[in-house]
Amino acid sequence: MRESVLLILRVDPHTSNEDIDFKIKEFKHLADSAGYDIKGVVIQKRSPDIRYQIGAGKVEEIKRNVMGVDKVIFYNRLSPTQVYNLTKMFNVETIDRLNLILEIFAKRARSKVAKLQVELATLTYELPRARELTSILKRRERPGFMGLGRYGTSYADDIQRRILKLRRELKTYTKSQKARRKRYRSLGIPRVAICGYTNAGKSTLLNALVGKRCTKSANQLFTTLSPITRSMRIDGRKVMLTDTVGFLEGLPHFMIEAFRSTFSEIYEADVILLVVDASEHHKTIRRKLKTSHSTLFNDWCERPIITVFNKIDKAKCFELEPVRHLAPNPVIVSALNQEGIEDLKTKIGELLPPLETKEIILPMSPESLKKLSTLYKRGIVRELHFDSCIKVIYQTSHEEMKKIKEALDVR
Ligand SMILES: Nc1nc2c(ncn2[C@@H]2O[C@H](COP(=O)(O)OP(=O)(O)OP(=O)(O)O)[C@@H](O)[C@H]2O)c(=O)[nH]1
Ligand SMILES: [Mg+2]
């Protein structure tokens, strides 16, 4: 049976209805993606209260209706004192949106690296809270109180030690990831990364570009956590395509930091596909594009970006003009119906690092046929002429051209 939750959002007094709607829609989608049954939503417009985040009167009101709910989730970030006070008032576990996101991540983490990253993010969030909660519980002599039982005296020190260990383990992974990239680079195979707001259709797009179902897509947030890479051909050229974890508004820096190795798939790509759901209102599109750009530029990123407006089959009146300034190289597609995919491939081809074209002459011999098969594997054979010798019009990256000519001993 699904656990039931009550969602609470506090906004400042002058917040627009549009902003509230955006936050609530996303908050509900997050709770639903985590598998909760939403029993109710409470919104309060006021400045933050230091004890409870929402007003004390509102807390009393909710307290009367919170019976039968398994958990209370706040959209706002809660301080450890607020967690303690609210848990005490409601008598059920009370968490915030970041805990909720971390719960989803923990559910989705399959690979060893993803599990390490999620644990690192969770503990980084937990550490300062653990310190403060331990001291609150000690002062009030309430060890083991309502879901706060783990905050014993050595808990914060244990977390600190575990964080250091996780960082070391993730470093080892980063090294092997670097070695893999170096190999692709030395073979002259370019890399394309798919990124964008969560649920924009990134995984569906990877499936459409590769031409088969390689990864799961679903109408929930953070379906994809670990990057997956598949090869595809763009105008005959082999390209590695990577699908990555989605972006979300208000993700703190420490979370992006914990997923550094995943995000580096984006920063180190030759071309970035920034996917956005074109079926939403242009104000939502603008907001999600802004979040995506600020997440991307969190680190320095100078790669060419193609803005992929997806789900055009569902869009009632898509207009590019209001968001054009945030959308370099726009291409409009429906990944689900495979519309516009060829145009997108053409655009990717235009932005990939340029290829070098050379004429290669091979003598007529069985040995040359072996060399020819290597040429096919490692680059693009544009033309092939058999005469007294074999003439190949060959294309590959500049570095690879040098290497292959040396390896095959051809001119
Ligand atoms: N109508 C329509 N739906 C689409 C299209 N592309 C994706 N979807 C749907 O949008 C939802 C999300 O798709 P995903 O491919 O999982 O999105 P994602 O960006 O990978 O999501 P996360 O991995 O959760 O960040 C799914 O229900 C897809 O079927 C499209 O072109 N048209
Ligand atoms: Mg996905």
Side-chain angles (χ1 to χ4, degrees):
M1 215 179 67
R2 302 210 299 169
E3 272 189 288
S4 60
V5 289
L6 178 72
L7 305 182
I8 303 179
L9 163 72
R10 184 206 57 79
V11 287
D12 291 330
H14 301 296
T15 311
S16 69
N17 288 341
E18 195 184 298
D19 189 17
I20 296 174
D21 287 348
F22 179 92
K23 288 185 164 124
I24 285 295
K25 193 174 160 208
E26 192 160 279
F27 195 18
K28 283 181 171 171
H29 207 163
L30 275 172
D32 185 57
S33 302
Y36 289 117
D37 178 16
I38 302 164
K39 282 284 181 242
V41 179
V42 176
I43 302 168
Q44 191 181 34
K45 269 192 181 184
R46 60 158 288 152
S47 50
D49 175 84
I50 196 152
R51 282 169 308 162
Y52 299 112
Q53 178 68 229
I54 49 174
K58 201 70 177 170
V59 172
E60 285 294 343
E61 193 186 311
I62 295 169
K63 197 179 155 184
R64 287 195 288 275
N65 303 314
V66 86
M67 298 274 281
V69 170
D70 297 308
K71 217 178 240 186
V72 173
I73 312 178
F74 271 72
Y75 184 92
N76 315 77
R77 236 166 132 159
L78 297 176
S79 71
T81 313
Q82 287 168 344
V83 171
Y84 176 83
N85 292 340
L86 289 161
T87 309
K88 197 169 148 209
M89 286 300 276
F90 296 149
N91 227 3
V92 290
E93 191 181 352
T94 304
I95 61 169
D96 64 19
R97 177 175 172 264
L98 276 182
N99 295 124
L100 174 64
I101 295 167
L102 289 164
E103 276 184 12
I104 301 176
F105 280 14
K107 274 194 180 158
R108 305 278 195 272
R110 293 273 174 276
S111 68
K112 182 163 179 243
V113 177
K115 285 185 179 148
L116 295 177
Q117 289 174 324
V118 173
E119 196 186 343
L120 177 61
T122 310
L123 294 183
T124 309
Y125 192 44
E126 184 80 346
L127 184 60
R129 308 161 78 80
R131 289 211 175 102
E132 207 174 322
L133 270 170
T134 305
S135 86
I136 293 174
L137 289 170
K138 220 172 164 181
R139 272 202 312 276
R140 316 220 172 155
E141 291 183 349
R142 298 207 63 166
F145 169 67
M146 263 337 288
L148 302 175
R150 59 188 183 280
Y151 296 97
T153 29
S154 68
Y155 186 56
D157 296 336
D158 295 346
I159 293 181
Q160 179 79 65
R161 269 194 296 277
R162 182 77 188 136
I163 287 179
L164 291 175
K165 190 157 181 279
L166 285 168
R167 289 217 175 104
R168 274 198 301 273
E169 282 190 52
L170 280 166
K171 236 186 200 147
T172 322
Y173 169 76
T174 315
K175 268 190 198 150
S176 63
Q177 187 188 31
K178 273 195 183 139
R180 198 176 60 238
R181 283 191 196 135
K182 209 170 151 195
R183 200 170 60 241
Y184 287 142
R185 204 171 303 130
S186 72
L187 288 171
I189 302 173
R191 293 195 326 272
V192 175
I194 305 179
C195 69
Y197 213 84
T198 181
N199 210 44
K202 301 177 293 299
S203 302
T204 313
L205 185 67
L206 177 122
N207 293 339
L209 283 166
V210 174
K212 55 180 180 230
R213 196 174 154 79
C214 313
T215 182
K216 187 181 166 189
S217 67
N219 187 19
Q220 54 184 14
L221 307 188
F222 299 115
T223 308
T224 311
L225 198 62
S226 308
I228 88 147
T229 301
R230 291 292 177 270
S231 72
M232 63 175 290
R233 297 251 165 205
I234 301 262
D235 190 24
R237 186 174 181 186
K238 188 172 177 180
V239 170
M240 300 312 285
L241 184 67
T242 301
D243 178 24
T244 59
V245 60
F247 304 148
L248 189 79
E249 194 173 280
L251 274 192
H253 186 72
F254 78 82
M255 273 177 99
I256 296 168
E257 202 49 43
F259 282 81
R260 170 154 287 279
S261 66
T262 301
F263 280 104
S264 69
E265 295 288 348
I266 305 172
Y267 305 131
E268 307 243 336
D270 295 287
V271 175
I272 295 171
L273 308 184
L274 174 53
V275 187
V276 55
D277 182 346
S279 71
E280 295 186 293
H281 191 276
H282 70 80
K283 288 189 177 159
T284 305
I285 296 179
R286 186 186 304 144
R287 190 162 176 162
K288 292 189 173 179
L289 272 174
K290 275 190 181 159
T291 300
S292 302
H293 282 292
S294 63
T295 313
L296 269 176
F297 291 103
N298 201 347
D299 246 313
W300 190 58
C301 172
E302 55 156 20
R303 312 291 165 173
I305 295 175
I306 299 176
T307 314
V308 184
F309 289 99
N310 187 31
K311 308 196 191 182
I312 200 65
D313 58 288
K314 218 172 116 186
K316 288 192 188 79
C317 53
F318 171 67
E319 280 178 274
L320 179 59
E321 250 358 275
V323 292
R324 188 184 276 281
H325 61 294
L326 291 165
N329 299 305
V331 178
I332 296 167
V333 307
S334 162
L336 196 66
N337 297 346
Q338 306 262 342
E339 278 169 47
I341 298 299
E342 286 312 311
D343 291 347
L344 176 59
K345 284 187 178 173
T346 308
K347 193 71 193 163
I348 298 172
E350 282 167 20
L351 294 173
L352 287 176
L355 291 172
E356 199 168 286
T357 308
K358 282 264 163 19
E359 184 182 272
I360 293 175
I361 309 286
L362 300 166
M364 261 305 181
S365 70
E367 183 63 16
S368 292
L369 291 178
K370 267 197 208 150
K371 289 182 179 176
L372 190 57
S373 109
T374 308
L375 287 174
Y376 266 109
K377 269 190 213 137
R378 292 176 55 173
I380 308 167
V381 174
R382 285 281 175 219
E383 286 176 41
L384 189 62
H385 304 280
F386 289 92
D387 208 339
S388 54
C389 57
I390 306 170
K391 193 168 100 179
V392 190
I393 306 294
Y394 192 61
Q395 266 188 334
T396 190
S397 67
H398 176 69
E399 300 158 27
E400 175 69 356
M401 189 67 87
K402 266 203 321 214
K403 272 191 221 142
I404 207 154
K405 284 174 120 186
E406 270 168 31
L408 300 186
D409 189 25
V410 292
R411 59 190 165 87

